[in-house]
Amino acid sequence: VICCVSAGTMNSAEKVYCPPENEIELNDKKFQKSYIGLGLTKINVLPHFDVLLKTTICEKKYIEDIIYPDSYDKEIFALTDKSYIQIKSNNKIIYHGEIYLIKSGKLQLLTKIKAKEGNYE
């Protein structure tokens, strides 16, 4: 059993998606948005989604102006606080809590409260 929270969840991916979090990182042309992670999963997670929905950096909306453009070449699972993704030993994935998928510049609600099963590839 492996449990990860917040940045630990992000770092468990093979290739970690790490968007800028402040004005310095946003304006740094050399800022690296991805790096090699622990390789425990292929899922890119954006934790604290409920907080980030209200966040702005340099007058840019964090989700719409920063995250959405990055979602054209990756799927980003946005987790609100108290939500988590469970990957079972048979590669079944279960979403718990309020979880969204950001893909191709669009936001899709995967599950609100009930657990939802899918396949993990």
Side-chain angles (χ1 to χ4, degrees), residues 29-99:
K29 301 218 186 289
K30 294 181 183 178
F31 181 77
Q32 212 172 344
K33 290 184 182 181
S34 65
Y35 54 88
I36 303 301
L38 296 172
L40 302 173
T41 180
K42 295 177 183 175
I43 296 173
N44 285 125
V45 170
L46 183 66
H48 313 297
F49 185 63
D50 37 354
V51 174
L52 296 175
L53 276 170
K54 304 169 197 160
T55 300
T56 58
I57 301 174
C58 299
E59 299 182 21
K60 290 186 176 195
K61 292 181 180 179
Y62 193 75
I63 300 302
E64 291 90 339
D65 299 329
I66 298 170
I67 304 299
Y68 279 7
D70 292 340
S71 72
Y72 284 91
D73 64 349
K74 66 178 65 52
E75 292 182 337
I76 303 164
F77 290 81
L79 277 64
T80 58
D81 288 348
K82 300 181 184 174
S83 297
Y84 65 98
I85 297 173
Q86 178 183 18
I87 302 171
K88 309 270 260 167
S89 59
N90 61 358
N91 284 336
K92 288 286 183 188
I93 186 169
I94 304 174
Y95 305 104
H96 297 270
E98 188 174 348
I99 299 174

Side-chain angles (χ1 to χ4, degrees), residues 11-31:
N11 290 323
S12 67
E14 285 179 357
K15 188 174 182 183
V16 178
Y17 170 61
C18 182
E21 295 182 344
N22 56 50
E23 185 175 344
I24 294 169
E25 292 175 351
L26 184 64
N27 292 319
D28 181 356
K29 301 218 186 289
K30 294 181 183 178
F31 181 77

